[in-house]
Every structure is written in structure tokens, then in C-alpha cells.
Amino acid sequence: SEPTVVTNAKRFIREHLDEKLTLEEISKAVNVSPFYFCKVFKQATGMTFTEYVNRQRVEKAKAELLKPSATVTEVAFNVGYQSLSQFNRSFLRYAGEAPTQYRKHMSEGAITDARVA
């Protein structure tokens, strides 16, 4: 069981993922100091606040990229990134491939799956 501070922080992050999130804002939302929040969050999740936010944004972006009508730029801004280059770096880091490669890979997989079925 994780500390209430971490559970509340995760909920706040989910609800505000598409916005600019700061350490000060999160720690204030869960009523602890930034220092204490960083310490407890890292112990509970094994990730820093920034790593966690970026991973959550990339996971949300993966789902958004499956929509053919959404451009990569739209997806990047919709999941809370302030710049396309920052999005591309994070996506590559956490997904292991660029957003356009991921989309192509997933659409090819869907075509293959449809042929098999």
C-alpha cells in the first residue's frame, strides 16, 4: 500500500496530465513540502515526479496515436507537452521508438491482425 500523499498525487497528475505540472503545484495540492513530496514519491514509485509524469503522458499519447486523424503535433500538445521536440525525446525514451514509427508499427499490426482473423 502506498502513502496517501502518493495516491493523491497520482490522481492529481491524471486529472491534470494535459496541463503544465510543476513540483510546487503538486506538493501544494497534496499538502506537503516539495522536498518531502520528492522523497516519498521516489520511494513509493521508484521514479522521480518528472519521470512519472512523462511516462503517463507517453502512455496517453500511445492511445491518441492510434487515431489516424490526430497529427503527432496535436497528440503532443493534447497530452501536455510544451514542445514537439520534448515530446519526441520523451516518447523515444519511454516507448523505444519515435511517435511516427510507433503509429506505423501499430497500424501495420492491426492490418496483420485483421488478415489473421
Side-chain angles (χ1 to χ4, degrees):
S1 68
E2 64 187 14
T4 305
V5 168
V6 175
T7 304
N8 291 342
K10 285 180 174 181
R11 184 179 332 103
F12 184 86
I13 291 166
R14 262 193 321 276
E15 292 170 357
H16 299 273
L17 196 58
D18 58 343
E19 302 168 19
K20 184 177 181 181
L21 295 169
T22 65
L23 177 60
E24 291 73 24
E25 182 182 20
I26 297 273
S27 57
K28 186 176 180 180
V30 295
N31 298 313
V32 295
S33 74
F35 175 79
Y36 179 76
F37 173 75
C38 285
K39 180 181 172 187
V40 171
F41 194 84
K42 175 83 174 185
Q43 285 175 343
T45 65
M47 293 179 261
T48 65
F49 156 70
T50 303
E51 287 172 325
Y52 181 82
V53 169
N54 284 329
R55 283 182 186 268
Q56 295 304 306
R57 285 180 172 158
V58 167
E59 288 306 312
K60 186 174 179 182
K62 284 179 176 181
E64 294 289 317
L65 286 168
L66 298 179
K67 299 174 187 172
S69 61
T71 68
V72 172
T73 303
E74 287 171 339
V75 170
F77 289 106
N78 287 345
V79 299
Y81 282 94
Q82 306 299 311
S83 76
L84 186 57
S85 61
Q86 180 187 17
F87 171 68
N88 286 328
R89 276 193 307 275
S90 288
F91 198 93
L92 182 60
R93 179 176 184 190
Y94 296 112
E97 58 189 342
T100 51
Q101 291 172 318
Y102 176 81
R103 174 180 266 169
K104 184 179 178 195
H105 170 174
M106 293 307 288
S107 66
E108 287 172 355
I111 292 168
T112 303
D113 290 345
R115 286 186 196 147
V116 171

